[in-house]
Amino acid sequence: MHSIEMLACSQHRLYYIEYNIGYLFEFQNKNLSTIRQDCRLRKINRNKNLSTIRHDCRLRKINRNKNLSTIRHDCRLRKINRNKNLYTIRQDCRLRKINRNKNLSTIRQDCRLRKINRNKNLYTIRHNCRLRKINRNKNLSTIRHNCRLRKINRNKNLSTIRHDCRLRKINRNKNLSTIRHDCRLRKINRNKNLSTIRHDCRLRKINRNKNLSTIRHDCRLRKINRNKNLSTIRQDCRLRKINRNKNLSTIRQDCRLRKINRNKNLSTIRQDCRLRKINKTRTCRL
């Protein structure tokens, strides 16, 4: 039994000598620092498989000229990117470069926009970006109002849009009835010149408190008086007041007398009138 133990011990020493000789050949051209580093790596790699050892070796070569902060950052990224494909990793890398000088709020906003713009084409994305710049200092009500106007104006030309904008400013403090009335007047006045529009406006003010019969009567008189001077118009007006309670026969007789009396003085007219009264009585007596 003792001889067996001695043999095993001698074999162990022989193996140990051979193992150390192997290391001597391995460390022959290495300095002490490299030998210590290799020894430390062997302790580290004791329970690792070959793939992990090679991976760590590759990382050491990659990290040779990096500081500790960069190495830790790369390590954290490797953990993050473990289950991502190459396209996603490159995209994340590109975003990190883009977001380098941005604060957290801007980064989150950009991320939210990317989700929003995922299924949009480039034209729509640029349009929305331009709207965000426009709406930066507007409240929600104004933004919604402008959005509604864009939908309304989608198929209108620039002239119509400006015209509608001008009308909105005009109608800002008007009620619905006034707006509709003005709209109806615009349709009526579309083919009229400015003079006619002003004339109609003046008539509307004049006719505001008149009934339909009076408005029609005045309209008929305007047609009648179109080619008359002011004196004739006033005379006709005075005659209408005089003839208001007279029948047609009396009005015609008065008209005939006016023609007869046109060139007579007042004294002759009165004398003729007095004679007509005298003659009327005599005719009645006969």
Side-chain angles (χ1 to χ4, degrees):
M1 189 68 183
H2 182 67
S3 61
I4 293 170
E5 287 177 358
M6 287 294 291
L7 182 62
C9 187
S10 62
Q11 286 177 349
H12 179 71
R13 279 198 299 273
L14 183 63
Y15 175 77
Y16 185 72
I17 290 165
E18 288 176 355
Y19 185 74
N20 286 334
I21 289 168
Y23 270 112
L24 285 174
F25 283 112
E26 185 182 348
F27 296 152
Q28 192 171 353
N29 297 317
K30 293 181 180 176
N31 58 25
L32 187 61
S33 173
T34 309
I35 294 168
R36 283 175 177 163
Q37 185 183 16
D38 292 345
C39 182
R40 188 173 61 80
L41 288 175
R42 274 192 298 274
K43 288 179 183 177
I44 293 167
N45 294 330
R46 189 174 291 161
N47 297 316
K48 293 179 182 176
N49 58 26
L50 188 61
S51 173
T52 309
I53 293 168
R54 283 176 177 163
H55 177 68
D56 292 344
C57 181
R58 188 172 62 81
L59 287 177
R60 276 192 298 275
K61 288 179 182 177
I62 292 166
N63 294 330
R64 190 173 290 162
N65 296 316
K66 294 180 180 175
N67 57 25
L68 187 61
S69 172
T70 309
I71 293 169
R72 283 175 176 162
H73 177 68
D74 292 344
C75 181
R76 188 173 62 80
L77 288 178
R78 276 191 299 276
K79 289 180 183 176
I80 293 167
N81 295 330
R82 190 172 289 162
N83 297 316
K84 293 179 181 175
N85 59 24
L86 187 61
Y87 176 78
T88 310
I89 293 168
R90 283 176 177 163
Q91 187 184 19
D92 292 345
C93 181
R94 188 174 60 81
L95 288 175
R96 276 192 298 276
K97 289 179 183 176
I98 292 166
N99 294 330
R100 191 173 286 162
N101 296 317
K102 293 179 181 175
N103 57 26
L104 188 60
S105 172
T106 309
I107 294 169
R108 283 176 176 161
Q109 187 185 15
D110 292 346
C111 181
R112 189 173 60 81
L113 288 176
R114 276 191 298 276
K115 289 179 183 175
I116 292 166
N117 295 331
R118 190 171 288 162
N119 297 317
K120 293 179 181 174
N121 59 25
L122 189 60
Y123 176 78
T124 309
I125 293 168
R126 283 175 176 163
H127 176 67
N128 291 340
C129 181
R130 189 173 60 81
L131 288 178
R132 277 192 298 275
K133 289 179 183 176
I134 292 167
N135 294 331
R136 192 173 287 162
N137 296 317
K138 293 178 181 173
N139 57 27
L140 189 60
S141 172
T142 309
I143 294 169
R144 283 176 176 161
H145 175 68
N146 291 341
C147 181
R148 189 173 61 81
L149 287 178
R150 276 192 298 276
K151 290 179 182 176
I152 292 167
N153 295 331
R154 192 172 286 163
N155 296 317
K156 293 179 182 175
N157 59 25
L158 189 60
S159 173
T160 309
I161 292 168
R162 283 176 175 163
H163 176 68
D164 292 345
C165 181
R166 189 173 60 82
L167 287 178
R168 277 192 299 275
K169 289 179 182 176
I170 291 166
N171 295 331
R172 192 172 286 163
N173 297 316
K174 293 179 181 175
N175 57 27
L176 190 60
S177 172
T178 309
I179 293 169
R180 284 176 176 162
H181 176 69
D182 292 345
C183 182
R184 189 173 60 81
L185 287 177
R186 276 191 298 275
K187 289 179 183 176
I188 292 166
N189 295 330
R190 191 172 286 163
N191 297 316
K192 293 179 181 176
N193 59 25
L194 189 59
S195 173
T196 309
I197 293 169
R198 284 176 176 163
H199 177 68
D200 292 345
C201 182
R202 189 172 59 80
L203 288 178
R204 276 192 300 274
K205 289 179 182 176
I206 292 166
N207 295 330
R208 191 172 286 163
N209 297 317
K210 293 178 181 176
N211 58 27
L212 190 59
S213 173
T214 310
I215 293 169
R216 284 176 177 163
H217 176 68
D218 292 345
C219 182
R220 190 172 59 80
L221 287 176
R222 276 192 299 276
K223 289 179 182 176
I224 292 166
N225 295 329
R226 190 172 286 162
N227 297 316
K228 293 179 179 175
N229 59 26
L230 189 59
S231 173
T232 309
I233 293 168
R234 282 175 177 165
Q235 186 182 14
D236 291 345
C237 182
R238 189 172 59 79
L239 287 174
R240 275 192 301 275
K241 288 179 183 177
I242 292 167
N243 294 331
R244 190 173 287 162
N245 297 316
K246 292 179 182 177
N247 58 26
L248 189 58
S249 172
T250 310
I251 292 169
R252 282 176 178 164
Q253 186 183 12
D254 291 345
C255 182
R256 190 172 58 78
L257 287 173
R258 275 193 299 277
K259 289 179 182 177
I260 292 166
N261 294 329
R262 190 174 286 162
N263 295 315
K264 294 179 181 177
N265 58 25
L266 190 58
S267 173
T268 310
I269 293 167
R270 282 174 178 167
Q271 186 180 9
D272 290 346
C273 181
R274 190 169 56 79
L275 288 173
R276 272 192 303 275
K277 287 178 184 178
I278 291 165
N279 294 332
K280 193 180 288 181
T281 308
R282 283 180 183 175
T283 305
C284 289
R285 282 176 186 176
L286 289 170

